Amino acid sequence: MTHPRTSPATPGADTAADPLTDHAADPLTDHATGTGPRPAADPSDPAPCTTSPGTTTLAAATPAELRDHVTAGLDDPARGWLRRALDEAAAHPGTHGPISVWELRIAEAGRRCGPEHADAARVLILHAARADAEALSRVYYQGTGAERRAVLYALPHLVPGSEGLPLVEDALRTNDTRLLTAAVGPYAARHLDAHQWRHAVLKCLFTGVPVDAVADLDRRAEGDTELARMLTDYAAERTAAGRTVPADLNRVLTLTDPPATPSAPAADHG
């Protein structure tokens, strides 16, 4: 099979059509563009967070793994604050009144734990509070981008059914790559239907989110000839317009079933 010619995205390239930024390939890093009519970012959480142990994403790590990793990296005051926040959430779970005490702690997490550990701290607080789909929706729609990410990461731990899908679907409509990275984790892999999942993969390619962030990619892409068609059409459109093809596209295309995958035209970009 002949793959379309690819090259890594270049910062600032094709910005009129594709809001791309230059991204590292680390799936633990939430890369952000911050575009769209979103709540203002938490000023105490300005940097990407890389909190999970090893190569485990925030959404896939167990709460125990996250807590061990985070507490090992915090200084004594932050560690004490997180312990008290988790105890408070466990003692007063669910939703109480206009705002629950654990929701206030989620808002404080960036300032208390620092940007490196804030996402994981928020996920731990949500888990300790045993937040259900209704509570998670409230935090998501009323929260900052950082708080929305935490909700998306927490979904696999807290919502066994499909009630959280509207939150994933909302995140997939944005061009905020931090939200997109959080949205395509294990919860999306379990609950998005084939049509939605294919478009989520294309959205990652379009915005520059590394496909390593897409949970269960190998299994869901295998033998998916419709995804192969969509990928080759997208590559052909890019090539015809003289634009580069996302480097991850060939990887996904190979997964779909190489012998059955149509070839996309290559172009000489000099």
Side-chain angles (χ1 to χ4, degrees), residues 62-171:
T62 67
E65 288 171 337
L66 287 182
R67 184 164 185 171
D68 288 347
H69 184 74
V70 172
T71 54
L74 295 175
D75 59 20
D76 287 341
R79 192 179 301 117
W81 178 87
L82 180 59
R83 183 180 63 253
R84 291 190 297 275
L86 296 178
D87 289 346
E88 213 171 31
H92 305 284
T95 302
H96 306 281
I99 189 167
S100 299
V101 65
W102 54 265
E103 294 179 66
L104 298 175
R105 304 300 170 249
I106 286 174
E108 295 175 13
R111 178 165 52 88
R112 297 286 191 169
C113 296
E116 183 180 358
H117 301 292
D119 280 3
R122 293 184 182 105
V123 172
L124 288 170
I125 293 168
L126 287 168
H127 191 275
R130 302 190 290 281
D132 59 13
E134 181 179 355
L136 291 171
S137 294
R138 184 168 85 169
V139 173
Y140 181 91
Y141 287 116
Q142 295 181 0
T144 65
E147 290 158 21
R148 292 181 178 207
R149 288 199 309 273
V151 168
L152 294 168
Y153 284 130
L155 282 175
H157 304 298
L158 296 171
V159 183
S162 61
E163 300 92 330
L165 266 182
L167 308 184
V168 173
E169 292 164 353
D170 180 82

Side-chain angles (χ1 to χ4, degrees), residues 160-238:
S162 61
E163 300 92 330
L165 266 182
L167 308 184
V168 173
E169 292 164 353
D170 180 82
L172 291 174
R173 286 191 290 268
T174 76
N175 287 324
D176 183 333
T177 55
R178 286 185 168 188
L179 282 180
L180 292 173
T181 299
V184 293
Y187 190 84
R190 289 202 298 264
H191 296 292
L192 284 179
D193 64 29
H195 176 76
Q196 292 173 310
W197 186 82
R198 292 177 190 126
H199 281 277
V201 173
L202 282 176
K203 189 65 175 275
C204 288
L205 294 171
F206 180 79
T207 57
V209 171
V211 295
D212 281 339
V214 181
D216 215 7
L217 175 66
D218 292 9
R219 182 188 66 82
R220 291 207 60 167
E222 183 179 3
D224 192 336
T225 56
E226 176 60 16
L227 177 60
R229 182 197 64 76
M230 294 168 69
L231 292 170
T232 51
D233 286 351
Y234 177 59
E237 290 170 5
R238 299 276 307 173

